[in-house]
Amino acid sequence: YLTFNFFIESLLAGLCLFLLLVYDALIRLRGTSGTLPGKDGFPLVGCFPMLGKHKERMLMKWSSSGLGPVFYARLGASRVLVLNGYDVIKEALLQRPLAMAGRVESDLIQELYDGKHGLIQLDHGPLWKEQRKFGQTTLGGLGMGKRSFEVTIVDEFNCFATTLENELNMNEPKGVNLTRMLRLYAANVISSLIFNQTFESSWFAENDVPKHTARFLILLMYVPGLKNLPFVRQQLAITTRTRLDKVKIFRTLVEEHRKSRDPNEPRDFIDCYLNVLAKNKGENSSFTEKQLLYYIADLFLAGTETSATTNAWALLLVLKNPEVKRKLRAELDVVGKQPTLVSSNDECRMPYTRAVMQEVFRFRPAVPFNIIARKTTSELELKGYKIPAGMPVIANLWSVHHDPVTWAPDPEIFRPGRHLDDDGNFVPSNHVIPFSVGARSCIGRNLAKNELFVFITSVLRRFDLELADGCHVGDISGDSGMLLHPPKYKVKGSVK
Ligand code: HEM
């Protein structure tokens, strides 16, 4: 009896393995590329285990060690087109912007977005086009990236500064970890645009997507089959429920806006959206209340952690490089002798500060590549290869920022001076593209740049900070999941 049981179990295991290999072989054969070079990796998970801790660096290495600027890497169930280097990214995303303006649609995304809603995950088409245009126009109209909105950013910085001052006093010998405070600064800047109000740290903490959940969702995006495992289903149910709770909170805030709004004086993103909803009432339109709720969720998702991470990198890099800090201070002293904070109006007189910002964006981009893949919208030819329609696409921005020729002789050194000419003027570079390029590039770039400007200049004017004792932060390669995070560090110091 035992032998028979063993025989049946072995047979079933063998059958499963056989089916797995057939499935894997089908993916390998599935028609992409003709001669497009690439790697398939392991059955089911593809190249994920080979990419290691720093996926962007490994993809760049594969490109330079034989695969070239355009290749595919199988991630989970899909062969993903990987673009490396400025030339090919420019050709694919800038010169033919709509060719790669799609997003991969999946059951998982539909589940998390209650259908096709939001912005980030919408596939190319009239819904995405209309909503993106609305977002860009409205956020611009509300002052995003302009002097008028900078006052709000400075207010949020002042809240950050008050908390930091208290924490520095309370934690004097040990130092202070800024992660939570930086997240609150970024989240409340976005809140001001969307809700015209700000929140306590606890409000956001309840609404945070924990890092491990983000990683888990990425894996599921590429290996959707995992969704059928009981443990994964359970995790997914928790994530969906938390997300629905968040959307409920947004609904309450929208309702409050509906009651108190004046259509002629829109205060924020919600008021502007409600105006369009009222105008389009009864018509078949892409503007719906549910769409608004998921749009809000997406703006927080895209704009909080990215900005907080960039600011965290900026401070770490400045504190680790005393000469950079000294030069920044010297420039600030010339521009802003008055007690008022400097503003981006002064930017033209601050070439070194601009160089530092550009170098932060180059050296440690918060989004080194779009792990949420784009998708080709039609068949196209790129560098002599035929690329099919519907293929997921990743643009490896890291490979542009660390190109050994463009940034010779020292791409791996943080050196703001590289962005200045012989007369000390700032030289903007189109090879620094932290917000990506083309049709799906970041709609919050001006806001993010303003936040970084206010942060660097104000923190140096208000505080005398250094890395806390024992916090040497030798390894600054970062930790890449969805974003490239800096290592944990603490600061000590006092108000100037
Ligand atoms: C330093 C901060 C930021 C960085 C590094 C960053 C980076 C990026 C990148 C690289 C993309 C393009 C992804 C792709 O190629 O598919 C993107 C898209 C996007 N970003 Fe940002 N971002 C930042 C801040 C913000 C802010 C503050 C907002 C909101 C106000 C925002 C909203 C968005 C949205 C909605 C998209 C999706 C656009 C679409 O799919 O059409 N981002 N961001």
Side-chain angles (χ1 to χ4, degrees):
Y1 173 74
L2 267 180
T3 320
F4 179 72
N5 236 5
F6 179 72
F7 172 74
I8 294 290
E9 275 171 16
S10 308
L11 199 70
L12 282 175
L15 193 68
C16 286
L17 190 65
F18 175 73
L19 288 176
L20 209 78
L21 292 175
V22 170
Y23 172 72
D24 198 60
L26 281 177
I27 290 176
R28 280 166 203 266
L29 288 175
R30 202 164 56 193
T32 54
S33 50
T35 52
L36 183 68
K39 286 186 191 282
D40 279 307
F42 300 100
L44 282 189
V45 286
C47 295
F48 269 120
M50 298 152 74
L51 286 172
K53 190 175 159 205
H54 292 118
K55 301 177 186 57
E56 66 288 344
R57 278 160 249 204
M58 188 55 84
L59 291 172
M60 182 173 166
K61 197 169 156 201
W62 288 354
S63 164
S64 54
S65 55
L67 291 182
V70 191
F71 63 87
Y72 77 82
R74 182 147 76 84
L75 297 179
S78 326
R79 280 179 172 173
V80 177
L81 184 71
V82 185
L83 308 175
N84 279 273
Y86 181 72
D87 286 346
V88 79
I89 289 181
K90 181 175 157 204
E91 186 183 339
L93 304 190
L94 263 183
Q95 290 168 353
R96 289 179 278 180
L98 293 184
M100 299 195 177
R103 289 267 192 237
V104 179
E105 291 181 310
S106 69
D107 292 354
L108 172 71
I109 300 296
Q110 305 247 347
E111 205 164 312
L112 289 172
Y113 282 82
D114 197 6
K116 295 181 186 186
H117 297 108
L119 184 73
I120 303 173
Q121 303 285 1
L122 289 181
D123 195 8
H124 175 259
L127 173 60
W128 165 74
K129 247 188 198 162
E130 216 174 0
Q131 296 297 318
R132 181 174 164 106
K133 193 166 165 216
F134 170 84
Q136 280 176 312
T137 323
T138 305
L139 294 175
L142 290 168
M144 184 180 83
K146 294 187 193 143
R147 176 81 188 104
S148 54
F149 191 68
E150 203 170 87
V151 179
T152 309
I153 301 181
V154 170
D155 281 349
E156 289 319 311
F157 175 81
N158 288 339
C159 296
F160 165 89
T162 310
T163 318
L164 178 57
E165 190 181 338
N166 292 338
E167 297 251 336
L168 285 172
N169 291 336
M170 272 160 37
N171 297 290
E172 221 218 289
K174 286 190 299 184
V176 177
N177 178 337
L178 300 177
T179 312
R180 202 171 37 82
M181 280 181 252
L182 286 175
R183 209 176 277 153
L184 186 64
Y185 166 54
N188 266 335
V189 168
I190 297 190
S191 281
S192 311
L193 273 173
I194 298 177
F195 304 121
N196 192 31
Q197 72 184 86
T198 56
F199 298 92
E200 295 292 319
S201 172
S202 54
W203 192 86
F204 294 108
E206 281 162 23
N207 292 301
D208 264 357
V209 181
K211 226 192 220 171
H212 67 269
T213 312
R215 287 205 165 136
F216 159 77
L217 289 176
I218 292 172
L219 191 66
L220 268 184
M221 235 188 283
Y222 288 97
V223 196
L226 287 179
K227 199 172 89 167
N228 301 316
L229 299 175
F231 159 74
V232 177
R233 275 232 71 80
Q234 206 179 5
Q235 266 299 110
L236 192 58
I238 297 172
T239 310
T240 317
R241 220 173 21 246
T242 318
R243 208 170 144 77
L244 281 177
D245 288 346
K246 194 194 293 184
V247 168
K248 262 189 219 151
I249 300 174
F250 295 156
R251 182 170 288 130
T252 312
L253 290 164
V254 169
E255 270 320 304
E256 284 168 17
H257 272 66
R258 219 189 271 282
K259 286 180 197 142
S260 61
R261 82 196 183 96
D262 171 355
N264 301 313
E265 295 282 338
R267 297 157 293 186
D268 50 31
F269 187 83
I270 296 184
D271 276 357
C272 294
Y273 205 98
L274 290 176
N275 271 354
V276 182
L277 269 182
K279 203 173 111 210
N280 293 355
K281 208 171 177 182
E283 284 175 31
N284 190 7
S285 150
S286 75
F287 289 81
T288 62
E289 182 167 325
K290 199 190 274 179
Q291 166 57 20
L292 168 61
L293 302 178
Y294 284 96
Y295 207 149
I296 296 173
D298 266 4
L299 290 175
F300 275 110
L301 181 75
T304 304
E305 202 61 28
T306 44
S307 286
T309 302
T310 302
N311 292 339
W313 271 119
L315 187 61
L316 175 63
L317 293 169
V318 169
L319 296 184
K320 270 192 75 72
N321 292 277
E323 186 55 15
V324 173
K325 182 162 123 186
R326 193 191 61 70
K327 286 184 178 165
L328 276 172
R329 278 243 164 91
E331 188 168 77
L332 273 169
D333 285 346
V334 173
V335 178
K337 281 260 179 275
Q338 308 85 355
T340 53
L341 286 162
V342 289
S343 88
S344 54
N345 279 357
D346 301 309
E347 252 190 65
C348 52
R349 292 190 290 142
M350 302 176 77
Y352 192 71
T353 308
R354 293 170 82 187
V356 170
M357 285 171 61
Q358 186 159 276
E359 183 66 348
V360 169
F361 282 130
R362 178 196 77 82
F363 187 65
R364 290 294 179 261
V367 185
F369 67 101
N370 53 305
I371 187 98
I372 300 176
R374 298 191 188 187
K375 192 181 76 178
T376 52
T377 52
S378 55
E379 191 181 280
L380 73 147
E381 206 176 290
L382 194 60
K383 298 278 173 228
Y385 300 116
K386 205 188 235 181
I387 313 293
M391 187 169 189
V393 185
I394 279 176
N396 190 3
L397 309 179
W398 178 271
S399 68
V400 181
H401 291 189
H402 290 260
D403 183 90
V405 177
T406 314
W407 307 107
D410 51 2
E412 299 312 325
I413 303 285
F414 178 72
R415 187 168 63 81
R418 69 173 85 243
H419 305 291
L420 298 172
D421 67 14
D422 292 345
D423 299 323
N425 299 313
F426 172 64
V427 185
S429 170
N430 54 8
H431 286 61
V432 179
I433 48 172
F435 305 101
S436 197
V437 288
R440 294 221 72 138
S441 63
C442 180
I443 65 168
R445 79 185 64 193
N446 291 334
L447 181 63
K449 282 186 191 167
N450 263 6
E451 276 179 56
L452 178 60
F453 178 82
V454 168
F455 179 70
I456 293 188
T457 53
S458 310
V459 95
L460 287 179
R461 288 208 78 189
R462 295 273 290 270
F463 293 93
D464 237 332
L465 294 179
E466 53 187 305
L467 290 171
D469 300 338
C471 187
H472 303 301
V473 201
D475 177 4
I476 52 162
S477 58
D479 172 14
S480 53
M482 186 87 116
L483 302 181
L484 180 64
H485 288 280
K488 286 201 175 79
Y489 67 93
K490 287 186 176 177
V491 299
K492 65 171 190 177
S494 56
V495 175
K496 273 177 79 184

